């Protein structure tokens, strides 16, 4: 049977009906989602000015803080839940003005810079560069465009429009103009330290060059242009050189489709005056050695700092600009994230999933190390989480801080070493912190012996055996943690898991293989995803683990997740309906042939195909939920936006049609003009309420004390 209970969208009245769900319980979904989420914390190069973004019920605004106590205030006043994100947040070096982009969906896999029109406004929307004075006043629209770069003196903003570089005064005092004409797609704009030149990348058909624009009368200087893809241009402090990453250009014998491709890379330094360049260091050729994670900075002592998986964990390294063997700066069985250089470029501050407690592998704490040797010093510790560190121009540390029961808030370090919140008002006074549960770290074994990690949410009020739910994150390059998540999308999912636990469900958030945090082999396993779906074994093991718990009813286990988590939800319902009695599949992948490059194998774009092309197609089909529909018996709710730029809505429509005549109970919630990240808060509430209501209806309401 097919039902469209949610097909026309939930009205606000229905949301209000669903949010309480059981008056005896202490808080509603809306209350546990009432916090404002901060992200993109930045600091000016001079002084103590900081800024960050806040999503408050879908209203995206910029906040700032400065001074001895970092008193926080909201700077912009966008007051409508209109799905218009703010991105590319930049402070001028002196901290007097902020430049940003409004519009688009920059977390998407494609069409990042196209407008998003979640309100279906007849006039449409745009992606535009704006600026605003930190002292206050109305924001100024600078131009239609994206990916801005502010000059060191703060007076000019270069940006990208139609794959070309443009320029405009930062105060909007003159019209924008095209900066230069060059073939290819222009990107990665980087001003020289003195603000007289602009480095950029120029992507061509099979190569990418690094160019330097000086003025309208001087030809563009190309840095050692050759048969490679060059990227991540980084100016030396004196502006005489540019460091960059070099990879092979496109082409060659097609690699095996069933294996991850090792793509060696190297660090080069180019002379900004002559255009000549030399290699500083070459990665190895093994898969883990070639996994460059995108970080390259010019540090003190003529050293370059970068990150790599070379030792099996995502770590920071530094190498002398004259060449030599890199120094591992952060040894140990943990991964490094969010690294930032001190103003004097002599040390690095970073977040990592390690610490004095064994459970810290599923938290984030802050550390520092010199740029020339391994001398890691902890800056934070405890049961909370700290991430996204920034250092102000006067070398003061700020970061984002959350706990298992308190959503994220910007903070500094107090004298006792604990976080001192600088914008506590982002969490409402009536937020139900005292009523939330603290998830417990658990591990269990999959059928092939892999140790799987997860967080178990156990209701405070337990009476008899409970229904249980497996929650699956997306990505899959994500790690769920023992507290509020670092990303807005998963912060919302954490709030749903807390609500389900309050309702009496036992919830298990699963960090299945393919996610970071547990080393290279776990992050890049064999035969995963379209190559064999080996990670599904972790999902099945999670359901069986829940069934083994004394407080769980083994006949009432459900499953839900979004994106890659939606894919694994569909896999669970297709392969193990006897285990998973109901599921909510939120914009999931259902056909690997349709989603990625396997489709190219069918269209035969090249005479020479990968040697394992036929095997890859067979594996892709077998790894897709649509290949196992004969075993799908459990009811399912599909939720998706139809402007999804990560997983095409075709996946949901196709699977719905395939299940239509099988007798499977299915319901749909289509969010018109919504994207993958659910950019409108009202749509987030609709999806949350529909998810909880469906799981409760088909798994049964837990008994109350």
């Amino acid at each position: 049977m097919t039902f469209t209970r949610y097909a026309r969208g939930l009205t606000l009245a229905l949301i209000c009906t669903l949010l309480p769900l059981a008056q005896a319980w202490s808080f509603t979904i809306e209350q546990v989602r009432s916090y404002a989420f901060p992200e993109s914390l930045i600091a000016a190069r001079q002084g103590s000015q900081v800024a960050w973004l806040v999503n408050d019920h879908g209203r995206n605004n910029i906040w700032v803080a400065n001074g001895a106590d970092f008193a926080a205030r909201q700077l912009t006043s966008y007051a409508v839940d209109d799905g218009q994100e703010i991105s590319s947040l930049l402070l001028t070096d002196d901290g007097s003005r902020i430049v940003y982009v409004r519009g688009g969906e920059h977390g998407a896999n494609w069409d990042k810079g196209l407008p998003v029109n979640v309100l279906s406004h007849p006039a449409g929307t745009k992606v535009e560069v704006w600026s605003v004075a930190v002292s206050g006043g109305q924001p100024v629209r600078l131009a239609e465009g994206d990916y801005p770069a502010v000059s060191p003196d703060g007076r000019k903003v270069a940006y990208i429009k139609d794959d070309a570089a443009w320029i405009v005064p930062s105060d909007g005092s003159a019209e924008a103009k095209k900066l230069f004409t060059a073939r290819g797609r222009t990107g990665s704009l980087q001003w020289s330290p003195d603000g007289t030149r602009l480095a950029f990348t120029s992507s061509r058909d099979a190569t990418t060059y690094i160019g330097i624009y000086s003025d309208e009368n001087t030809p563009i200087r190309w840095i050692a242009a050759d048969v490679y893809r060059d990227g991540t241009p980084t100016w030396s402090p004196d502006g005489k050189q540019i460091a960059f990453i070099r990879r092979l250009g496109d082409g060659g014998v097609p690699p095996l489709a069933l294996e991850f491709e090792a793509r060696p890379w190297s660090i080069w330094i180019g002379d900004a005056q002559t255009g000549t360049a030399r290699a500083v260091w070459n990665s190895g050729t093994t898969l883990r050695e070639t996994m460059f994670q995108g970080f390259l900075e010019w540090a003190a002592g003529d050293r370059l700092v970068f990150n790599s998986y070379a030792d099996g964990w995502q770590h920071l390294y530094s190498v002398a600009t004259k060449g030599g063997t890199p120094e591992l700066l952060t040894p140990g069985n943990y991964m490094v994230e969010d690294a930032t250089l001190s103003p004097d470029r002599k040390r690095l501050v970073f977040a990592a999933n390690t610490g004095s407690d064994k459970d810290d592998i599923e938290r984030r704490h802050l550390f520092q190390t010199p740029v020339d040797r391994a001398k890691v010093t902890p800056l934070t510790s405890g049961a909370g989480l700290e991430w996204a560190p920034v250092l102000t121009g006067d070398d003061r540390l700020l970061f984002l801080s959350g706990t298992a029961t308190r959503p994220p808030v910007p903070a500094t370090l107090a004298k006792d070493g604990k976080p001192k919140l600088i914008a506590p008002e982002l969490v409402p006074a009536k937020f139900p912190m005292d009523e939330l549960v603290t998830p417990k770290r658990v591990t269990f074994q999959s059928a092939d012996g892999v140790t799987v990690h997860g967080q178990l949410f156990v209701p405070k009020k337990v009476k008899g055996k409970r229904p249980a739910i497996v929650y699956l994150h997306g990505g899959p390059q994500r790690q769920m943690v023992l507290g509020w998540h670092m990303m807005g999308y998963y912060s919302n999912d954490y709030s749903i898991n807390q609500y389900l636990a309050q309702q009496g469900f036992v919830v298990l958030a699963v960090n299945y293989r393919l996610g970071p945090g547990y080393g290279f082999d776990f992050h890049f396993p064999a035969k995963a995803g379209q190559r064999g779906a080996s990670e599904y074994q972790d999902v099945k093991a999670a359901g069986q683990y829940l069934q083994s718990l004394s407080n769980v009813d083994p006949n009432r286990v459900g499953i839900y997740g979004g994106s890659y988590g939606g894919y694994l939800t569909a896999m669970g319902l297709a392969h193990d309906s006897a285990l998973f009695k109901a599921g909510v599949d939120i914009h999931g992948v259902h056909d690997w042939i349709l989603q990625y490059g396997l489709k190219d194998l069918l269209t035969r774009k090249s005479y020479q195909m990968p040697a394992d092309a036929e095997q890859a197609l067979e594996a892709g089909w077998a790894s897709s939920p649509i290949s196992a529909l004969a075993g799908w018996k459990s009811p399912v709710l599909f939720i998706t936006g139809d402007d999804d730029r990560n997983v095409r809505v075709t996946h949901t429509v196709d699977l719905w049609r395939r299940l239509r005549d099988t007798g499977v109970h299915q319901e749909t919630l289509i969010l018109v003009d919504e994207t993958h990240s659910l950019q409108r808060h009202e749509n987030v509430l609709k999806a949350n309420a529909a998810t909880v209501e469906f799981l409760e209806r088909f798994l049964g309401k837990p008994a109350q004390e």
Side-chain angles (χ1 to χ4, degrees):
M1 294 183 292
T2 297
F3 289 78
T4 56
R5 181 184 181 94
Y6 305 103
R8 297 179 181 176
L10 297 176
T11 65
L12 286 176
L14 180 54
I15 290 174
C16 294
T17 300
L18 291 176
L19 289 176
L21 290 173
Q23 296 297 329
W25 300 111
S26 54
F27 61 84
T28 65
I29 304 177
E30 188 174 46
Q31 288 170 332
V32 80
R33 270 298 282 115
S34 61
Y35 60 90
F37 187 81
E39 59 185 340
S40 302
L41 183 64
I42 59 171
R45 292 181 182 271
Q46 304 163 17
S48 58
Q49 186 67 57
V50 296
W52 65 92
L53 301 178
V54 171
N55 183 325
D56 185 1
H57 294 75
R59 301 181 293 268
N60 293 299
N61 281 288
I62 299 170
W63 283 54
V64 295
N66 200 347
D69 58 352
F70 286 107
R73 60 184 170 89
Q74 183 176 319
L75 181 62
T76 58
S77 54
Y78 297 109
V80 180
D81 175 19
D82 58 4
Q84 299 306 300
E85 72 170 15
I86 294 178
S87 63
S88 296
L89 189 67
L90 301 170
L91 269 164
T92 56
D93 282 5
D94 64 2
S96 65
R97 182 169 287 273
I98 292 174
V99 173
Y100 59 99
V101 170
R102 193 162 189 267
E105 187 196 20
H106 292 82
N109 288 341
W110 60 81
D111 294 343
K112 300 172 186 285
L114 291 186
V116 170
N117 190 15
V118 180
L119 290 181
S120 303
H121 197 286
T125 59
K126 296 180 180 180
V127 178
E128 299 171 317
V129 182
W130 291 73
S131 80
V132 60
V134 170
S135 59
Q138 290 298 313
V140 177
R141 178 191 178 278
L142 300 182
E144 189 173 348
D146 209 344
Y147 303 109
V150 183
S151 63
D153 62 8
R155 297 180 179 179
K156 298 172 289 185
V157 178
Y159 64 95
I160 302 297
K161 179 183 177 183
D162 299 329
D163 291 327
W166 293 62
I167 195 166
V168 65
S170 62
D171 60 1
S173 58
E175 292 293 318
K177 64 178 182 179
K178 194 172 183 179
L179 195 57
F180 58 83
T181 298
R183 289 185 59 247
R185 299 183 304 279
T186 299
S188 302
L189 304 178
Q190 299 287 329
W191 287 97
S192 62
D194 63 3
T196 62
R197 292 156 296 163
L198 190 70
F200 63 95
T201 57
S202 179
S203 297
R204 310 294 173 97
D205 289 340
T207 58
T208 302
Y209 307 142
I210 291 176
I212 298 176
Y213 168 82
S214 297
D215 57 59
E216 60 186 7
N217 297 315
T218 304
I220 291 170
R221 173 75 66 192
W222 300 106
I223 304 296
D226 208 330
V227 291
Y228 299 98
R229 286 211 179 272
D230 297 336
T232 321
T234 305
W235 286 94
S236 62
D238 61 9
K240 295 180 179 180
Q241 301 176 94
I242 291 180
F244 60 95
I245 300 298
R246 170 161 283 184
R247 290 186 183 274
L248 296 175
D250 295 353
V253 177
L256 294 175
L258 286 173
E259 296 182 9
F260 288 106
E261 180 186 5
R263 298 188 62 206
W265 55 281
S266 53
I267 298 176
W268 285 62
I269 292 179
D271 187 300
Q273 294 299 320
T274 66
T276 59
R278 58 183 173 84
V280 174
W281 176 78
N282 296 296
S283 76
T285 58
T286 65
L287 182 62
R288 73 181 191 182
E289 289 174 313
T290 64
M291 288 293 178
F292 172 64
Q293 301 294 303
F295 183 80
L296 179 66
E297 292 286 349
W298 209 294
D302 284 328
R303 299 192 71 84
L304 291 166
V305 180
F306 62 96
N307 56 9
S308 169
Y309 247 129
D311 77 332
W313 293 83
Q314 185 174 310
H315 279 308
L316 291 169
Y317 294 77
S318 76
V319 64
T321 57
K322 63 183 179 182
T325 302
E327 181 79 25
L328 172 59
L329 302 178
T330 56
N333 294 340
Y334 59 88
M335 71 171 178
V336 170
E337 293 180 331
D338 301 338
T340 186
L341 273 172
S342 61
D344 62 7
R345 299 176 181 261
K346 292 182 178 180
R347 74 186 195 283
L348 289 151
V349 175
F350 59 91
N353 64 328
T354 188
S356 57
D357 189 300
K358 61 180 176 58
D359 290 346
D360 286 335
I361 194 171
E362 287 170 17
R363 296 192 181 105
R364 296 293 185 275
H365 294 309
L366 302 183
F367 303 82
Q368 66 179 6
T369 185
V371 299
D372 59 352
R373 63 192 183 279
K375 189 180 178 181
V376 176
T377 304
L379 299 175
T380 65
S381 62
L385 298 97
E386 303 84 35
W387 67 94
V390 298
L391 292 164
T392 62
D394 54 2
D395 206 18
R396 301 170 69 187
L397 174 65
L398 286 92
F399 52 91
L400 297 179
S401 163
T403 71
T405 58
R406 174 181 54 75
V409 174
T412 62
L413 272 184
K415 291 182 179 180
D416 61 2
K418 296 181 180 179
K420 178 183 177 183
L421 307 185
I422 66 172
E425 61 269 35
L426 296 181
V427 181
K430 294 184 178 180
F431 187 81
M433 275 191 286
D434 294 339
E435 301 165 58
L436 303 184
V437 304
T438 298
K440 174 185 177 183
R441 184 173 76 92
V442 297
T443 59
F444 47 92
Q445 299 291 311
S446 65
D448 61 353
V450 171
T451 298
V452 187
H453 299 251
Q455 301 88 41
L456 189 67
F457 297 72
V458 179
K460 289 184 176 181
K461 300 177 180 179
V462 176
K463 181 180 180 181
K465 291 184 176 292
R466 326 296 291 172
I469 296 169
V470 169
Y471 161 74
L472 302 163
H473 64 74
Q477 315 294 334
R478 304 285 182 262
Q479 182 193 33
M480 300 307 292
V481 293
L482 290 167
W484 238 273
H485 203 270
M486 300 79 69
M487 296 177 60
Y489 184 105
Y490 299 107
S491 175
N492 175 72
D493 290 358
Y494 185 82
S495 71
I496 298 176
N497 292 339
Q498 284 283 1
Y499 181 78
L500 288 167
Q502 182 241 195
Q503 288 292 98
F505 289 88
V506 176
V507 182
L508 177 58
V510 184
N511 283 334
Y512 52 88
R513 73 191 82 176
L514 277 175
Y518 310 106
F520 180 84
D521 292 338
F522 192 91
H523 199 174
F524 297 96
K527 298 182 179 179
Q530 66 191 56
R531 300 174 174 91
S534 62
E535 72 279 16
Y536 175 66
Q537 296 176 83
D538 305 344
V539 177
K540 184 174 181 179
Q544 294 170 333
Y545 172 80
L546 285 175
Q547 286 184 318
S548 73
L549 299 180
S550 60
N551 59 347
V552 167
D553 182 345
N555 295 312
R556 290 198 289 165
V557 176
I559 187 171
Y560 90 98
S563 194
Y564 207 95
Y567 158 65
L568 290 174
T569 293
M571 288 289 284
L573 298 175
H575 289 276
D576 288 289
S577 274
L579 171 58
F580 299 113
K581 300 299 184 181
V584 180
D585 173 349
I586 306 169
H587 42 231
V589 173
H590 305 139
D591 180 357
W592 282 119
I593 310 299
L594 173 66
Q595 179 68 4
Y596 289 124
L598 290 178
K599 188 176 181 181
D600 294 342
L601 301 183
L602 291 175
T603 57
R604 294 293 190 271
K605 287 188 174 181
S606 170
Y607 180 82
Q608 184 181 20
M609 305 300 294
D612 59 351
E614 293 302 323
Q615 298 95 314
L617 288 169
E618 292 174 3
W621 172 253
S623 302
S624 301
I626 59 173
S627 72
L629 299 188
W632 191 316
K633 307 299 180 186
S634 298
V636 60
L637 166 63
F638 294 113
I639 300 176
T640 187
D642 76 339
D643 188 20
D644 196 311
R645 304 172 188 189
N646 292 69
V647 179
R648 301 185 192 281
V649 69
T650 306
H651 285 271
T652 293
V653 178
D654 175 70
L655 179 51
W656 175 84
R657 285 197 60 176
R658 291 173 186 269
L659 287 174
R660 187 179 182 190
D661 299 321
T662 65
V664 172
H665 179 99
Q666 51 177 338
E667 301 177 12
T668 56
L669 171 56
I670 302 299
L671 301 168
V672 178
D673 289 334
E674 183 58 272
T675 67
H676 194 75
S677 56
L678 301 186
Q679 292 182 231
R680 192 177 184 209
H681 185 72
E682 181 178 318
N683 286 336
V684 172
L685 291 182
K686 287 179 182 181
N688 291 355
T691 296
V692 171
E693 191 277 338
F694 187 87
L695 292 172
E696 288 197 327
R697 179 155 40 99
F698 284 95
L699 297 177
K701 288 280 293 181
Q704 301 180 37
E705 278 192 337

